[in-house]
Amino acid sequence: MAETSVKILPSGRARWLIIILLLGFAAVLARDLRLQLLEHQTLRSQGRMRYLRTLPLPSERGVITARNGEPLAVNVKAVTIWADPAILDKHQNHWGAIAQVLHLSPASFAERVAGGGADYAYILRQIPPALGKKLDALQVPGIYVQNTSRSYYPLGAVTAPLLGMVNLQHQGGTGLELGYNQWLAAYPGKEKVLEDGHGQIVHVDKILRLPRAGHALQLTINPQIQYWAYMTLLAAQRHFGASNGSAVVMDVRTGQVLAMASVPSCNPNNIGSCSNPMDYVDNAVHQAFEPGSVIKPFAIAAALATHSVRPTARFNVSHPLWVGGYPITDDVTHHILNIEHILKYSSCIGTAKIALKTPRRDIYAMYRAVGFGDVPQVALPGTTSGVLPAWEGWGKARHATISIGYGISVTTLQLADAYAAIANGGYHIRPVLVKGEPLVKRRVMPFWVANDLRRWLRSVAEPNGTGILAAIPGYAVAGKTGTADLANGKDGFFHHRTNATFVGFAPGRDPQLVMAVTLRDSDKFWNFGGVEAAPVFRVTMEHALEQLDIGPEWCGKSVCRLRAPDITTAQAEIWSEGGGN
């Protein structure tokens, strides 16, 4: 039997092999010692961070209600979808199904996952809970459904410009939602939780901050009056081709705003409906305009209060009044008019003659006293003061034209506020939108001046008056029409584009409600205040009086009726054309 030969490695090569093995063991041992002794806390912390997460504790925003408690802005259930990219990246084979459930394209979903942080990325916010249930059914690790809430507005477009909207963080973005955001806002809590490898909470480690709900806000708005103001305003805007419009209804004794409507509008409950910022601008406080003839009663009030003219004064208005090289004219020729008829027929010549007899300082003081040139304190962001130039800079032309509504700009809220001072006997009352705010009032004109103006303004809504289309059967209505041509930017005016306005109050003999209506940049039909804005007043005010149980005036055993002849086309045109150029 042959012997097997055994090869023995050379001693030098064996030593090198042993050295290499020992060095390898030493390296492993050194790495282990380093991890165990030097990086123990770091590794432990990283291990806990992988599963220990801080999550928000949801809290609800304060609700907004009407004066009767009816909800105007409430919270409804919603969900927020978020992802942990570190976990979700391991399950990219499910991304297509997730995107389909969430109505996203695969590319959009991937972009949202990548756009977040290392362990937190928002995918969608404030979406219907039904989508959250479908997502949960997929059971994909790393994608989570968080219960939350979103704002819902029961009246939709009817209140959108007034209430405003919230953003995706459920913070006020516009309107009263923004103005009262600190009061309404919810403050979410925080908790630290321990999750398993699939992202499921296995233990609540600590409550870091308790959630705090927002406070409720009750407005003075009457929902039914708000609805009618909006619907009639919208119909007029569409019919006359106005670019925008607004209407305000106020209680003349308390200053409480019962309605503040604005067009155009949008339904904030429909995603994407309010993409145009102009659709949720509150034109009642944001849009200042030259008011035209609705300003005339206040120039006359200044003249009467300073005894610059007597209540029985009469003026010849048969010829143009030349001031500063330009004629002031009337659309309909009259001859001798007293102050009542100057208002009834909206005579620019007569008003300018009265103004020129009144010191500039006193007209300016009256305008400021009733609120023109001041920002109304109603907590609506973007509220403007309008423009009222200082009286020291008025030349003769400005002295005359500012009395007929040119060279001054005002808002619809300011007009309602100012006319309330005439209606309530001479007190300016601060407008109020939130119930519980104190009554702030001061006398701005003598009672006898306000009383004379109330009586004279009733004739405007009577036969042959420019505001006949504001008349309400059974009620005495007082008010004033206004029509101002829009400036063309070239030191002139467009003659077929107007601001059409009507401001009035009812019942005329014992006023309780005042309403201002404005439609801007109208270019169709007879776009005058008496034709365009007065019917909005009539329809809304009639419903408001009925809603508040304010009965008609009785004549003996029956309701008083306005005895007016049939209105012919020619008469309507004459009355409307007297409406305030």
Side-chain angles (χ1 to χ4, degrees):
M1 185 174 180
E3 295 181 359
T4 301
S5 61
V6 177
K7 291 184 178 181
I8 301 174
L9 290 173
S11 60
R13 188 179 295 179
R15 281 194 296 270
W16 277 111
L17 181 59
I18 292 170
I19 290 172
I20 290 172
L21 291 172
L22 290 174
L23 287 173
F25 283 125
V28 172
L29 181 61
R31 173 66 175 166
D32 186 59
L33 289 173
R34 182 183 174 207
L35 293 176
Q36 291 291 330
L37 300 177
L38 301 179
E39 298 186 19
H40 169 75
Q41 292 300 326
T42 302
L43 292 173
R44 186 178 180 85
S45 175
Q46 288 180 354
R48 286 183 61 81
M49 285 177 63
R50 181 168 297 174
Y51 301 105
L52 198 61
R53 188 184 307 281
T54 299
L55 297 178
L57 287 171
S59 183
E60 291 197 342
R61 186 173 178 84
V63 300
I64 302 176
T65 61
R67 63 187 300 112
N68 61 355
E70 185 174 321
L72 299 176
V74 296
N75 299 297
V76 296
K77 291 181 179 180
V79 294
T80 290
I81 310 300
W82 63 278
D84 184 335
I87 299 176
L88 191 60
D89 278 346
K90 301 173 184 177
H91 304 277
Q92 292 195 21
N93 57 316
H94 293 289
W95 284 22
I98 296 172
Q100 185 176 6
V101 165
L102 298 179
H103 306 299
L104 297 173
S105 68
S108 176
F109 177 73
E111 183 180 346
R112 293 171 190 236
V113 173
D119 61 354
Y120 198 96
Y122 279 115
I123 307 300
L124 288 173
R125 304 190 197 192
Q126 297 182 16
I127 64 172
L131 290 182
K133 289 181 180 180
K134 291 182 180 179
L135 189 61
D136 277 337
L138 297 178
Q139 295 185 336
V140 179
I143 187 84
Y144 307 103
V145 177
Q146 177 187 333
N147 291 324
T148 181
S149 62
R150 65 180 178 88
S151 292
Y152 177 78
Y153 303 92
L155 292 183
V158 174
T159 54
L162 171 62
L163 299 182
M165 293 178 289
V166 296
N167 57 27
L168 287 176
Q169 290 75 37
H170 220 188
Q171 299 295 308
T174 61
L176 289 173
E177 291 276 25
L178 176 58
Y180 284 92
N181 187 59
Q182 287 189 337
W183 179 258
L184 293 165
Y187 293 90
K190 285 185 179 180
E191 63 178 356
K192 188 172 287 187
V193 301
L194 193 63
E195 297 179 346
D196 61 19
H198 297 286
Q200 302 300 314
I201 297 175
V202 296
H203 174 68
V204 177
D205 186 63
K206 185 188 295 184
I207 302 295
L208 301 178
R209 185 178 67 216
L210 290 172
R212 197 198 81 187
H215 302 285
L217 184 70
Q218 187 173 21
L219 304 183
T220 59
I221 295 296
N222 182 298
Q224 287 73 29
I225 300 175
Q226 176 76 21
Y227 172 82
W228 282 106
Y230 172 77
M231 295 304 294
T232 53
L233 184 69
L234 180 64
Q237 181 214 11
R238 291 174 175 174
H239 184 73
F240 290 97
S243 62
N244 61 69
S246 56
V248 174
V249 181
M250 280 179 56
D251 185 311
V252 304
R253 293 165 181 165
T254 65
Q256 292 187 1
V257 177
L258 304 182
M260 184 181 287
S262 181
V263 292
S265 185
C266 58
N267 187 350
N269 302 316
N270 293 339
I271 297 175
S273 171
C274 296
S275 57
N276 185 351
M278 297 308 295
D279 287 346
Y280 48 85
V281 168
D282 192 340
N283 293 307
V285 295
H286 284 237
Q287 188 70 260
F289 54 91
E290 288 187 315
S293 294
V294 289
I295 210 78
K296 290 174 180 176
F298 302 100
I300 292 172
L304 294 172
T306 58
H307 304 288
S308 300
V309 298
R310 296 172 60 84
T312 56
R314 295 162 65 85
F315 297 86
N316 188 333
V317 298
S318 58
H319 301 289
L321 175 65
W322 288 84
V323 288
Y326 294 93
I328 294 177
T329 61
D330 290 337
D331 291 302
V332 178
T333 301
H334 297 282
H335 296 282
I336 306 296
L337 295 179
N338 59 20
I339 298 177
E340 178 179 357
H341 287 152
I342 285 173
L343 289 170
K344 179 172 184 173
Y345 302 126
S346 200
S347 170
C348 293
I349 298 171
T351 305
K353 285 188 172 184
I354 292 172
L356 291 174
K357 289 178 172 290
T358 309
R360 295 170 297 164
R361 182 202 298 266
D362 294 320
I363 295 176
Y364 176 84
M366 179 60 71
Y367 284 7
R368 286 302 297 263
V370 297
F372 301 136
D374 286 334
V375 178
Q377 302 303 306
V378 289
L380 279 166
T383 300
T384 181
S385 64
V387 176
L388 176 59
W391 66 270
E392 292 88 348
W394 298 4
K396 185 176 181 181
R398 174 62 60 85
H399 189 177
T401 57
I402 208 166
S403 71
I404 58 175
Y406 288 94
I408 178 177
S409 68
V410 302
T411 65
T412 308
L413 177 60
Q414 287 177 325
L415 284 173
D417 185 28
Y419 269 77
I422 297 174
N424 65 31
Y427 289 95
H428 175 265
I429 297 179
R430 179 172 65 92
V432 173
L433 266 171
V434 176
K435 284 202 75 174
E437 291 189 358
L439 176 67
V440 179
K441 70 176 185 177
R442 66 181 186 280
R443 181 166 287 283
V444 295
M445 66 181 71
F447 173 80
W448 68 269
V449 171
N451 196 46
D452 279 351
L453 287 171
R454 285 192 305 199
R455 176 166 49 84
W456 295 333
L457 289 172
R458 288 202 297 269
S459 68
V460 174
E462 293 176 351
N464 301 319
T466 60
I468 183 61
L469 296 182
I472 302 173
Y475 295 87
V477 169
K480 185 72 190 75
T481 56
T483 308
D485 291 332
L486 287 180
N488 61 14
K490 301 177 182 178
D491 296 326
F493 297 91
F494 295 109
H495 292 295
H496 300 288
R497 296 172 57 188
T498 64
N499 288 327
T501 306
F502 183 84
V503 192
F505 44 86
R509 291 177 174 81
D510 181 24
Q512 298 188 45
L513 300 179
V514 63
M515 182 177 185
V517 181
T518 300
L519 288 151
R520 178 176 172 80
D521 197 10
S522 310
D523 60 3
K524 293 181 181 177
F525 309 112
W526 294 327
N527 52 341
F528 301 97
V531 172
E532 199 174 336
V536 177
F537 170 92
R538 183 188 72 247
V539 175
T540 305
M541 185 61 74
E542 187 169 13
H543 281 93
L545 294 169
E546 180 181 351
Q547 171 69 25
L548 299 180
D549 201 22
I550 300 172
E553 186 177 352
W554 287 82
C555 295
K557 296 182 179 181
S558 61
V559 173
C560 297
R561 295 186 178 275
L562 177 65
R563 296 186 179 278
D566 293 335
I567 301 174
T568 66
T569 299
Q571 286 173 320
E573 184 171 8
I574 289 174
W575 293 333
S576 66
E577 287 181 345
N581 284 341

